[in-house]
Amino acid sequence: MATTYDAKLGLYIGGEWLGTGGRDTHDVLNPATGAGHAALPLATADDLDAALEATQRGFVLWRGTAPEKRAAVLQKTAQLIRERADHLARIATLEQGKILAEAKGEALFAAALLDFHAGEALRIYGRVLPRPAGTRSLVLHQPVGPVAAFCAWNFPIMNVVRKIAPAIAAGCSIIIKPSEETAGSAVEVLRCFQDAGLPGDVAQCVFGVPDMVSRQLLASPITRKLSFTGSVPVGKHLMKLAADTMMKTTMELGGHGPVLVFDDCDLDKTLDTLVAHKFRNAGQVCIAPTRFHVQEGIYDAFAAGFAERTRALKIGDGLDSGTQMGPMANPRRPEAIGELVEDARRHGAKLLAGGERGGEAGGEGGFFFQPTVLADVPLDARAMNDEPFGPIALLRPFATVDDAIEQANRLPFGLAAYCFTENGRRQNLLGDAIEAGMIAINNVRLSWPDSPFGGVKDSGHGSEDGPEGVMAHLVTKTVHMM
């Protein structure tokens, strides 16, 4: 497997690719080695003004484009992503660290999102209200306007598609700012849109100092919607900026996924499922299962089985065959995870697996942290209250269903939750009682192209994916004709 990083980095503004050209740059790193890949140009204030002007032109063009044309561009982009999936996956692994199979699966899911949104572009319906003969009242759904979208680095292919696809389907233009740490993946996705025939003014891609970019884009009257995926504190900050122009917002923020495991579950199947899902993408997933609340009767067996499976995981470069968990995405994450582990242990948690930086085939300079299992974690440990966003599983026993629900709803987060029980009545109760935007029962899959993806409470508001994702880019207008 070649390790050459061959993404052609640049800013995409007004249909042109712009290079360094006197701009400040950011080094894109390989998390497996810590070595640099390439220099990424960062947008200036003038670049951002140019992007805003282009996206205004793009909106005028695209909102008047036939839905069939919008759908055709989305379908062609999906085709190109499938054709280039191996290329996209290798770039994502080289700059984000996840294993190659996960990166390719991400690319294929992004293509499925595009196919779904192509269909939704043809299904933006209004309605006619009953009125006296000779009069009409029409309810219309129309594109909200230019969108400013900010992406996280953990799914560098899918997050970009998840922002652009519904905007394009709805008839909006967009300025997207992906993470500077995973720029190559975003750039290559934009090239797929470009090669599929999307007009250059409709989608802009900029990178830069996050605070400067967000303030300039969100202060502009051109921007009519904010879409953000990232942490709760940053999301709240951006919402304050967006409030000044009363723009529409979709906020997909952090989580702290509770897992309720009852004593009637299929224990071995549950363990196999949860260990694989917990350490997917080195735990750097907003919907990752994190707090494992296990019924007392099976708690010891669950803890032993979870630790055994965790210790068996092969850690290494995501490009290497057989690797099951790669490095963390940047040098900040291993340090942050180490601090959470030590804090939990000081509070009395028992370390059952991992707990240290590095790992098999980690090598010097890489951003590795061992998959870690902590048992009997006290509620006042930081990891039980702050989103770890890393390869840590936190285990605690519970006695009753009410105890489990109380623990699931204890935190201000409400993104994802997981339950494992064979009791049908209990499944219905948990689905109603748990405060989360998405709940998986006896499985761990929460992302489907036709299903809304989003949270409640501090985990944000609004939905991505599904018909709801397109509706989030529309405004409602009523026309009364007499």
Side-chain angles (χ1 to χ4, degrees):
M1 174 65 67
T3 58
T4 304
Y5 181 82
D6 53 359
K8 302 176 180 65
L9 303 184
L11 310 174
Y12 186 61
I13 299 175
E16 296 184 11
W17 289 99
L18 307 177
T20 52
R23 298 175 176 86
D24 291 338
T25 60
H26 172 87
D27 290 334
V28 179
L29 305 179
N30 182 342
T33 64
H37 283 310
L40 172 70
L42 302 181
T44 65
D46 288 343
D47 291 329
L48 297 177
D49 282 341
L52 286 163
E53 292 171 5
T55 204
Q56 179 62 39
R57 296 191 302 269
F59 177 56
V60 172
L61 168 68
W62 199 244
R63 70 181 176 185
T65 299
E68 292 82 2
K69 174 66 179 298
R70 299 178 203 163
V73 169
L74 290 165
Q75 289 170 333
K76 180 62 175 178
T77 306
Q79 176 188 335
L80 292 175
I81 284 181
R82 289 189 177 97
E83 292 173 359
R84 302 174 188 180
D86 289 333
H87 173 66
L88 287 164
R90 192 170 56 80
I91 289 174
T93 294
L94 284 168
E95 63 185 9
Q96 197 273 337
K98 66 180 62 185
I99 64 173
L100 195 61
E102 289 180 8
K104 185 169 183 180
E106 179 184 339
L108 296 178
F109 181 75
L113 282 176
L114 287 158
D115 283 337
F116 175 80
H117 285 95
E120 285 302 291
L122 306 176
R123 292 190 288 267
I124 300 174
Y125 304 130
R127 67 184 191 272
V128 179
L129 304 179
R131 291 292 183 265
T135 67
R136 293 286 187 272
S137 288
L138 307 179
V139 180
L140 309 176
H141 299 294
Q142 298 182 331
V144 63
V147 178
F150 301 83
C151 290
W153 42 258
N154 56 335
F155 288 93
I157 301 169
M158 182 189 68
N159 281 341
V160 173
V161 169
R162 186 172 258 167
K163 298 299 183 191
I164 297 178
I168 296 305
C172 297
S173 58
I174 187 169
I175 302 175
I176 190 163
K177 193 203 84 66
S179 170
E180 288 71 31
E181 293 171 333
T182 53
S185 301
V187 164
E188 294 304 312
V189 168
L190 259 293
R191 292 188 189 280
C192 291
F193 278 99
Q194 180 187 35
D195 294 344
L198 185 68
D201 285 342
V202 176
Q204 326 297 314
C205 181
V206 299
F207 302 92
V209 178
D211 187 61
M212 183 196 83
V213 174
S214 59
R215 288 182 185 276
Q216 189 164 346
L217 295 185
L218 298 182
S220 171
I222 291 174
T223 305
R224 298 309 310 145
K225 175 179 168 66
L226 161 66
S227 181
F228 174 72
T229 298
S231 70
V232 173
V234 174
K236 290 181 176 180
H237 168 69
L238 293 180
M239 280 195 68
K240 292 175 183 177
L241 296 179
D244 286 341
T245 57
M246 292 295 292
M247 69 180 63
K248 201 167 186 176
T249 58
T250 297
M251 311 300 290
E252 199 273 278
L253 307 182
H256 204 306
V259 186
L260 308 186
V261 182
F262 292 86
D263 57 13
D264 64 341
C265 75
D266 183 329
L267 185 57
D268 284 334
K269 181 180 178 181
T270 299
L271 284 167
D272 290 342
T273 299
L274 286 175
V275 171
H277 198 59
K278 167 68 255 184
F279 299 113
R280 178 175 67 112
N281 201 18
Q284 300 166 122
V285 182
C286 58
I287 58 172
T290 300
R291 294 176 286 140
F292 295 81
H293 300 284
V294 184
Q295 201 156 22
E296 291 173 339
I298 60 169
Y299 178 72
D300 289 341
F302 182 93
F306 203 105
E308 179 183 7
R309 287 165 172 80
T310 299
R311 289 191 293 266
L313 293 173
K314 181 180 178 182
I315 315 305
D317 190 319
L319 292 178
D320 291 345
S321 176
T323 294
Q324 294 170 287
M325 191 186 92
M328 306 199 74
N330 57 59
R332 303 182 302 277
R333 299 310 305 148
E335 180 179 354
I337 296 302
E339 291 174 356
L340 290 176
V341 171
E342 289 308 309
D343 174 80
R345 297 185 71 181
R346 284 195 301 270
H347 280 82
K350 299 175 184 176
L351 180 67
L352 302 185
E356 298 180 357
R357 294 190 61 155
E360 182 183 352
E364 296 183 3
F367 312 140
F368 289 86
F369 199 95
Q370 296 173 354
T372 298
V373 182
L374 295 166
D376 304 342
V377 187
L379 294 180
D380 56 353
R382 279 182 54 209
M384 288 295 289
N385 298 281
D386 300 337
E387 182 180 23
F389 215 67
I392 305 179
L394 309 167
L395 279 52
R396 282 181 58 87
F398 72 84
T400 68
V401 175
D402 287 343
D403 292 337
I405 293 172
E406 179 184 3
Q407 287 305 310
N409 294 339
R410 182 179 64 88
L411 297 181
F413 302 102
L415 187 58
Y418 304 86
C419 309
F420 289 81
T421 176
E422 297 299 320
N423 185 307
R425 185 182 300 273
R426 183 185 294 149
Q427 291 173 6
N428 287 330
L429 171 64
L430 295 171
D432 286 338
I434 293 175
E435 298 169 350
M438 298 170 288
I439 301 173
I441 298 178
N442 293 334
N443 77 98
V444 290
R445 182 168 180 183
L446 294 172
S447 293
W448 301 80
D450 60 353
S451 172
F453 186 99
V456 298
K457 303 196 293 188
D458 272 10
S459 291
H461 59 254
S463 297
E464 299 185 293
D465 305 347
E468 293 82 358
V470 176
M471 288 299 296
H473 292 78
L474 301 171
V475 292
T476 300
K477 178 186 291 184
T478 310
V479 181
H480 302 284
M481 297 179 289
M482 301 295 178

